[in-house]
């Protein structure tokens, strides 16, 4: 698998205006790259990557450093989910996972993408799973990294340490609170640089960002919408081949949260990265890419009576 140098953000950035029933007309920001050559470009589904939901999160902050590596194997799109990054920040209607999944499907329609592989981290993992449940024929394979909604903690208390730090930032935003939150994402604290904190703080305090975070958060606390986000209750319905990936030292969605999903999803497998937190794509970048590409490369299209995907 050839490696490629990092891609410049401005060279791969694009946007599209889409319309959904809940969100109305919104513009989504995304980054797209395809570094394959010739015949290689025709035989694999595109790959859509969906980021997590912490303060200052975006497609680029989660996956920008990984884009070139994956684009060497797949047409790869990193999507800013509604409320994050350069995408519009409308009030969330219903539960966020369904709200965002509908927006991602609308983007797929706009770009002429009939079917894609999905890779989602944390909040993006919940969006990816909801999309696969609601639109099973639009998804090939799923890679879920410490996914929200599907992670059911058996031994750890709720809220977890990472979620507590997230709520503390939401209650009183500051660089110190943000650094404390980001520190729970990784084992290697050298990754928590001043530059990263400044970049994420700027995005987290940009116009509309804090309101969007509150709207997203309330969709998981409001009794009328929270149950729709309990994806573990629907895990038995998922028919796609699913790779669950977890950092062994994840302090946001701890490893014990994988067990129910592994038991209930018929075609699930689990890969655990040692000495790794919630950001496997950054902290275990090379191994994560190798495992993910290997899993996706085994996809084969074929007709299934159930409407599921291989």
């Amino acid at each position: 698998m050839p490696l490629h140098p990092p891609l410049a953000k401005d060279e791969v950035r694009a946007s599209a205006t889409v319309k959904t029933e809940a969100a109305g007309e919104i513009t989504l920001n995304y980054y797209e790259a395809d570094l394959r050559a010739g015949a290689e470009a025709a035989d694999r589904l595109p790959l859509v990557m969906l980021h997590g939901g912490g303060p200052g999160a975006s497609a680029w902050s989660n996956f920008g450093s990984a884009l070139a590596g994956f684009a060497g194997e797949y047409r790869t799109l990193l999507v800013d989910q509604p409320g994050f990054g350069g995408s519009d920040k409308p009030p969330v209607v219903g539960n966020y996972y369904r709200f965002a999944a509908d927006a991602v499907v609308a983007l797929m329609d706009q770009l002429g993408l009939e079917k894609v592989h999905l890779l989602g981290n944390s909040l993006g993992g919940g969006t990816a799973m909801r999309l696969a449940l609601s639109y099973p024929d639009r998804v090939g394979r799923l890679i879920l990294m410490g996914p929200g909604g599907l992670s059911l903690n058996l031994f750890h208390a709720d809220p977890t340490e990472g979620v507590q730090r997230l709520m503390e930032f939401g209650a009183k935003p500051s660089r110190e609170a943000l650094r404390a939150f980001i520190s729970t994402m990784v084992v290697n604290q050298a990754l928590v640089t001043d530059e990263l904190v400044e970049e994420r703080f700027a995005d987290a305090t940009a116009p509309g960002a804090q309101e969007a975070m509150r709207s997203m958060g309330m969709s998981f606390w409001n009794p009328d919408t929270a149950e729709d986000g309990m994806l573990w209750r629907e895990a038995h319905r998922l028919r796609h081949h699913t790779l669950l990936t977890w950092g062994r030292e994840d302090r946001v969605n701890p490893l014990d949260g994988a067990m129910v999903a592994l038991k209930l999803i018929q075609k699930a497998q689990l890969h655990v990265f040692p000495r790794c937190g919630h950001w496997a794509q950054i902290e275990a970048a090379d191994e994560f890419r190798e495992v993910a590409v290997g899993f996706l490369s085994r996809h084969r299209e074929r007709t299934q009576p159930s409407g599921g995907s291989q």
Side-chain angles (χ1 to χ4, degrees):
M1 295 182 290
L3 294 178
H4 298 273
L7 295 169
K9 184 176 182 180
D10 291 341
E11 292 178 354
V12 295
R13 184 172 183 171
S15 65
T17 300
V18 302
K19 188 173 183 178
T20 71
E21 183 176 346
E25 191 173 274
I26 62 171
T27 298
L28 295 180
N29 184 74
Y30 66 96
Y31 306 87
E32 179 177 359
D34 189 347
L35 302 179
R36 297 172 297 166
E40 296 178 358
D43 62 351
R44 293 184 175 182
L45 294 177
L47 171 62
V48 171
M49 303 171 83
L50 301 171
H51 61 83
S58 67
W60 193 261
S61 69
N62 267 200
F63 296 118
S65 61
L67 178 57
F70 279 93
E73 303 293 330
Y74 297 90
R75 177 186 176 186
T76 304
L77 297 92
L78 320 181
V79 179
D80 281 339
Q81 298 190 77
F84 292 90
S87 289
D88 285 350
K89 300 170 174 57
V92 175
V93 177
N95 181 265
Y96 184 82
Y97 294 140
R98 193 178 297 275
F99 183 80
D102 289 347
V104 173
V105 168
L107 178 63
M108 289 169 58
D109 290 341
Q110 182 77 2
L111 299 178
L113 302 177
E114 181 62 30
K115 192 176 208 178
V116 300
H117 295 310
L118 289 176
L119 190 160
N121 169 232
S122 198
L123 183 78
T127 298
M129 182 173 175
R130 173 54 71 198
L131 196 159
L133 288 168
S134 297
Y135 307 92
D137 295 332
R138 306 297 298 271
V139 178
R141 289 191 171 208
L142 281 174
I143 300 177
L144 306 176
M145 304 168 54
L150 185 58
S151 175
L152 181 63
N153 297 332
L154 300 178
F155 305 114
H156 282 79
D158 286 314
T160 62
E161 180 185 3
V163 174
Q164 289 182 57
R165 301 291 88 79
L166 172 63
M167 293 189 297
E168 288 169 3
F169 178 87
K172 190 176 181 180
S174 69
R175 288 173 175 80
E176 293 71 26
L178 181 58
R179 183 180 292 274
F181 167 72
I182 295 174
S183 294
T184 68
M185 299 291 106
V186 292
V187 173
N188 180 7
Q189 293 299 301
L191 295 172
V192 188
T193 63
D194 292 342
E195 292 78 10
L196 176 61
V197 172
E198 285 299 320
E199 179 182 316
R200 296 272 302 224
F201 187 76
D203 287 344
T205 55
Q210 293 182 61
E211 292 81 0
M213 283 286 292
R214 283 193 287 270
S215 184
M216 180 270 289
M218 286 305 299
S219 81
F220 297 110
W221 289 100
N222 187 327
D224 295 331
T225 58
E227 287 194 17
D228 193 38
M230 297 178 184
L231 298 173
W232 56 269
R233 292 165 40 160
E234 302 178 56
H236 67 281
R237 297 201 294 112
L238 197 65
R239 296 294 184 266
H240 302 75
H241 283 281
T242 303
L243 175 62
L244 304 169
T245 66
W246 241 273
R248 189 182 63 193
E249 285 76 33
D250 194 325
R251 293 150 67 188
V252 180
N253 290 334
L255 179 57
D256 59 290
M259 297 301 107
V260 169
L262 186 62
K263 175 74 173 180
L264 293 178
I265 298 174
Q266 293 185 20
K267 298 176 183 177
Q269 55 187 280
L270 173 66
H271 186 94
V272 179
F273 299 93
R275 297 292 298 167
C276 180
H278 197 53
W279 285 348
Q281 79 281 8
I282 294 172
E283 200 163 21
D286 291 341
E287 183 181 355
F288 177 77
R289 177 179 171 275
E290 291 171 3
V291 170
V293 169
F295 172 75
L296 295 177
S297 69
R298 292 190 290 275
H299 175 77
R300 297 292 182 271
E301 290 288 332
R302 68 186 183 196
T303 303
Q304 292 182 301
S306 64
S309 298
Q310 291 295 309

